[in-house]
Amino acid sequence: TTTTTTTSTTSTTTTTSRPPCLIAEQSGTRFQTTFQASARVFSVVNCCGVETSVFEYSCTQLCETFDSCLGIVILGAGRSQSCVGLSELGDVNNRVGTASSSRSFVNTCAPAVPAPRPADAPLDFSLRFGSRERAGGDVGTAFATANDAGQTLFVVTTETAEADGVVATCTRQCDSRPRCRGIQVSFDQFEEERCVGLKNVGGFEGTTATEQSLSFVQGGCSVACTSAETTTASTKAPRRTLPTRVTTRSTKQPRPSKASLTTSSTATRSSSTSTSSTSTTTTSTSSTSSSSSTTSTLQTTKRRKRRRRRRRRRRRR
């Protein structure tokens, strides 16, 4: 008797998110070029207290949008957390040890020949909302106005972007427009980037994102996290009470009678007459004195001439 056994194999395919390109993590270290301005591609500040896992994943996504980003360093924690994207790493196997909670990552998806940094690098970003990995289901939070055409100033895609990429082009356009309040970079299922410039970024809580995205606020940390602070600032301040001016009225003098007015006018006329006569007398006196002085001068001159004549006569004799 022959027994035949048939074995069937069932294969299951699980779809997960693309593994992050930034690996080779080392905690408590940073690259040798971390604080070199010439090596920085961008810097991101977590000034709104975004979750650490969301902030780190968002920073890796941002690095992958730049062909010049070879790695990132995450410094600090909480609201003081920041991320730096670098175009030069130095000796990767000889990283600098730090006492703080810093972590360094190498971008394994970077091209063999890295692209040059953007001309206006380093670019500064203030992260308001970030992404989560797709495998987790919830992909994060985004600006509530990101899909509102009425709040959109411009759109940058991979087809319309400049040579240094979507994010760099989008950032420059936002910087050049005074009405731009923030940008949102979104990634579709094919990891294609799309950036929207917004003139209104919506409320503090945002909205549930439908795709992975990065939401950056224009203007730094001073305007990135505004919830109760905005309400307080927009509330009208009480009107300033001006000090009361105290005015003292002078007591009215009694109105002079007609007789007193007549006497006063007569006295005034007489005083003016006496003044004019005095001035006339003074003038005549001065003219008299001047004429007398002139006469005496002439007489003196004549006497001198006579004396000279006499002397001449005597000499002749």
Side-chain angles (χ1 to χ4, degrees), residues 137-205:
D138 178 15
V139 294
T141 309
F143 287 138
T145 57
N147 297 319
D148 187 348
Q151 304 299 332
T152 301
L153 292 173
F154 58 86
V155 179
V156 179
T157 62
T158 53
E159 289 78 15
T160 61
E162 298 176 15
D164 50 5
V166 172
V167 179
T169 304
C170 192
T171 303
R172 277 193 294 271
Q173 290 199 24
C174 188
D175 289 341
S176 65
R177 303 194 183 197
R179 298 179 63 192
C180 186
R181 293 292 177 267
I183 62 173
Q184 178 155 304
V185 184
S186 57
F187 307 88
D188 61 17
Q189 58 182 343
F190 303 107
E191 299 298 331
E192 291 293 331
E193 304 151 22
R194 179 177 181 270
C195 182
V196 180
L198 301 169
K199 59 183 177 181
N200 182 5
V201 295
F204 177 75
E205 293 78 12

Side-chain angles (χ1 to χ4, degrees), residues 46-60:
N46 183 14
C47 50
C48 297
V50 177
E51 295 177 32
T52 300
S53 60
V54 173
F55 180 77
E56 292 181 0
Y57 189 76
S58 299
C59 194
T60 62

